[in-house]
Amino acid sequence: MTKFPPNSPNGPKRQSSKILDESDRRVRSRFAASSWAQEDLNSPPPALTPEDLENKDLAHLGLFFYFLPILGFFPALWTLYRHQGSREQKAASRLAITLAFGWLLGYIFLETGARSSELLTIPLLLMSSLLTSGYFVVNIWLMVRLWQRRPLRLPGVSQVAEEIVGKHLS
C-alpha cells in the first residue's frame, strides 16, 4: 500500500471526492429525468384528510392489546362500548371478548364442579387447566396472525362473536 503525504493532491481524500462527484452527478441526472423534477415545488400540498394523518401501523399495533390473555378483555370492551374504532378494531374486539367470556364461563363451571364433586375433582381440575392453557395459546396464536397481517378468524368462535357480541355491543 502506498503512503501519501497528508495534504497530497493524489491522496485518499482526493480520490473519495472524485467518487462522490461522480455519484452526485448520477443522482442529479436521475432526478432530472424523474417526474419529481417537473412538479412545482412552490404549489401548496394537497388537502389532507383525517385518514391521511392517522398512523395505520400504530392502530395495527394497538390490536395486540386486545389479545393479551385476561387483560385484553378490558380495552376490547372499551372499544365496543364507545362505538368507535375501525372495522378491524371492532372485529378484533368482538373476537377477544368472545374468547374471554368463553374461557371465564368454562373456568367457573369446571372449578365449581371440581369443588362440589369428590369423584371428579382431579379430571375437572385437569380440564380447567387445559382450558386456561388453550385460551393463552389461542391468544398468542392470534397475535402471531396479527403480526403476519393475516385474517383473525376462528372457526365457530368468529361467527358467535359477530352474531351475539356484535348484536349486543356494537
Side-chain angles (χ1 to χ4, degrees), residues 128-155:
S128 175
S129 67
L130 289 174
L131 177 70
T132 301
S133 298
Y135 172 65
F136 275 70
V137 168
V138 167
N139 277 319
I140 291 170
W141 180 73
L142 285 170
M143 285 184 198
V144 169
R145 293 204 37 105
L146 186 63
W147 176 64
Q148 295 171 343
R149 296 191 184 267
R150 290 187 176 174
L152 302 173
R153 303 287 301 166
L154 291 174

Side-chain angles (χ1 to χ4, degrees), residues 10-100:
N10 296 330
K13 290 183 181 177
R14 186 71 175 151
Q15 290 175 347
S16 65
S17 66
K18 286 181 184 178
I19 294 171
L20 288 176
D21 290 341
E22 177 66 24
S23 175
D24 188 45
R25 186 187 56 76
R26 278 189 258 146
V27 168
R28 288 178 191 270
S29 66
R30 286 183 188 159
F31 177 76
S34 73
S35 63
W36 289 30
Q38 286 81 25
E39 289 182 10
D40 182 16
L41 298 178
N42 294 327
S43 65
L48 295 175
T49 62
E51 290 82 25
D52 294 335
L53 299 175
E54 186 177 294
N55 189 347
K56 304 276 189 238
D57 292 330
L58 188 59
H60 185 77
L61 183 64
L63 295 177
F64 281 94
F65 289 112
Y66 298 148
F67 296 110
L68 288 174
I70 301 168
L71 298 176
F73 169 80
F74 299 106
L77 186 63
W78 184 250
T79 298
L80 292 180
Y81 177 73
R82 288 183 309 154
H83 298 289
Q84 291 180 350
S86 67
R87 186 176 54 86
E88 186 180 22
Q89 285 175 325
K90 289 181 180 180
S93 295
R94 286 190 290 265
L95 184 58
I97 287 172
T98 304
L99 285 172

Side-chain angles (χ1 to χ4, degrees), residues 148-167:
Q148 295 171 343
R149 296 191 184 267
R150 290 187 176 174
L152 302 173
R153 303 287 301 166
L154 291 174
V157 179
S158 294
Q159 289 86 6
V160 169
E162 294 298 324
E163 292 173 10
I164 296 174
V165 178
K167 183 173 75 172

